[in-house]
Amino acid sequence: MPLPRTGSIVVLTGAGISAESGLATFRGAGGLWEGHRAEEVATPEAFARDPALVHRFYNMRRRQLADPAIQPNAAHRALARLARAWRGGCLLVTQNVDDLHERAGSHDVVHLHGELRRVRCTACSEERLWLRDLEAKTPCPACGTFGGLRPAIVWFGEMPLHMERITAALQSCALFLAIGTSGLVYPAAGFVALVRDRGRAHTIELNLEPSAVRSDFAEARHGPAGTTVPALVDELLAL
Ligand code: OAD
C-alpha cells in the first residue's frame, strides 16, 4: 500500500524516540528496568509497600528530564512539523512520560502512560505540575494529606489514559506509524492490529530493530528515529 496523500495520521511513539536525546529506553542494554524489576517500582503494590523506593526512581528520572543536556531530537521536531503541515489531521499518542514532544513544538500530545512532570493526590485526586523531588512525607498542597502524592503515571495493572479518543482515531486513520517502541506492552502494542484489521490504512514501523509485532505492519523502516522519522516526514509532505 502506498503512502496516503490524504486522510488522518495516528503516530504512536515509545522510549526509542527519546533515546537519541539521552533518555534510557526500558528494555535495551542499560535500560531503565535493568537492575529493577518493573514490579518493584512501577505498580500500585510497590508504591503501597515501599513509597520511598518508588519516589527515588521517579525523582531520578524527573531530575534527568530537567537536565539542560536533555533536548528534543530531530525525530520529535519532524513530528511537530508533520502535525503543522499535514492536511488531514494528525494525532500524536505517546507512551513516553517525558515532555520532549511538547518541547519540540507538538501541541495536544496524548500521553497514554501519564506524565513525569505531574503528580496526583490519591486522597483528593487533584493533579498538578510538579518539578521538584517528591518524598513519602510530602503533603498534598490541595488537601494537606501526607503520603498521598504519587507520580501521575500509569503503572502496571492500571488503566491507560485517553483510550476512547485513541481508539476512535485508529478506526478512521489512513496511516498509522509506530516509532521507537518494542511492541511488548499492551494496549499500545495492539494498535497496529486494530488498524490492519480494518484493511484501509497503511501501517509503518520505525524502530531500531524489528519489534515484537513487526509482522502486523505492512512496512518497516529500521534505523535510528533521528534519521528515519525526518526522512518519512519529508516524503509525506512532498506527496
Ligand atoms: P522499550 O524500551 O520497550 O522499547 C524501545 C524500543 O525502541 C526498542 O525496540 C528499541 O530497539 C528501540 N530503539 C532504541 N533506540 C532507538 C532509536 N534511536 N531509534 C528508534 N528506535 C530505537 O520502550 P517502550 O516500547 O516505549 O510503560 O515501552 C513501553 C512501555 O513499557 C513504557 O511506556 C513503560 C514500559 O514499561 C510504563 O511505564 C507503564
Side-chain angles (χ1 to χ4, degrees):
M1 202 182 278
L3 291 176
R5 300 162 64 94
T6 55
S8 62
I9 301 177
V10 177
V11 182
L12 169 71
T13 65
I17 197 170
S18 296
E20 287 158 80
S21 295
L23 295 178
T25 60
F26 290 92
R27 295 179 178 80
L32 274 172
W33 294 148
E34 246 190 26
H36 282 294
R37 289 188 309 132
E39 312 82 70
E40 278 175 50
V41 287
T43 62
E45 293 75 22
F47 186 60
R49 189 171 56 239
D50 190 350
L53 171 75
V54 175
H55 283 314
R56 269 204 307 281
F57 178 75
Y58 287 102
N59 287 344
M60 183 192 78
R61 294 181 62 195
R62 202 179 297 109
R63 279 189 207 177
Q64 188 190 20
L65 192 55
D67 181 336
I70 303 295
Q71 294 294 335
N73 64 53
H76 297 106
R77 288 193 296 273
L79 292 180
R81 185 159 59 91
L82 177 65
R84 274 196 303 273
W86 184 252
R87 312 159 281 278
C90 182
L91 183 71
L92 178 53
V93 180
T94 187
Q95 296 168 89
N96 298 343
V97 297
D98 66 51
D99 63 342
L100 295 181
H101 283 305
E102 286 90 344
R103 285 202 249 157
S106 283
H107 303 290
D108 192 23
V109 181
V110 177
H111 282 271
L112 182 65
H113 292 163
E115 293 174 71
L116 189 54
R117 296 162 79 252
R118 298 185 72 80
V119 296
R120 185 173 69 250
C121 177
T122 51
C124 72
S125 301
E126 211 203 54
E127 210 185 285
R128 64 179 61 226
L129 194 67
W130 193 276
L131 307 178
R132 294 173 281 133
D133 279 1
L134 193 57
E135 282 159 31
K137 60 181 190 309
T138 309
C140 169
C143 72
T145 303
F146 288 86
L149 290 179
R150 56 161 282 180
I153 282 181
V154 176
W155 285 328
F156 288 97
E158 295 183 325
M159 286 289 283
L161 307 170
H162 315 294
M163 280 304 292
E164 250 178 63
R165 183 173 176 203
I166 296 167
T167 308
L170 292 169
Q171 277 162 353
S172 58
C173 69
L175 176 64
F176 173 72
L177 309 175
I179 304 169
T181 178
S182 56
L184 290 167
V185 175
Y186 285 78
F191 291 173
V192 60
L194 215 149
V195 175
R196 182 205 55 195
D197 291 349
R198 279 178 39 229
R200 299 169 72 161
H202 191 46
T203 53
I204 312 178
E205 160 169 295
L206 297 106
N207 208 46
L208 205 52
E209 60 201 356
S211 79
V213 288
R214 159 64 186 99
S215 59
D216 289 341
F217 287 88
E219 183 183 342
R221 300 182 178 195
H222 295 136
T227 307
T228 58
V229 177
L232 176 60
V233 168
D234 286 346
E235 268 179 64
L236 285 165
L237 295 181
L239 286 172

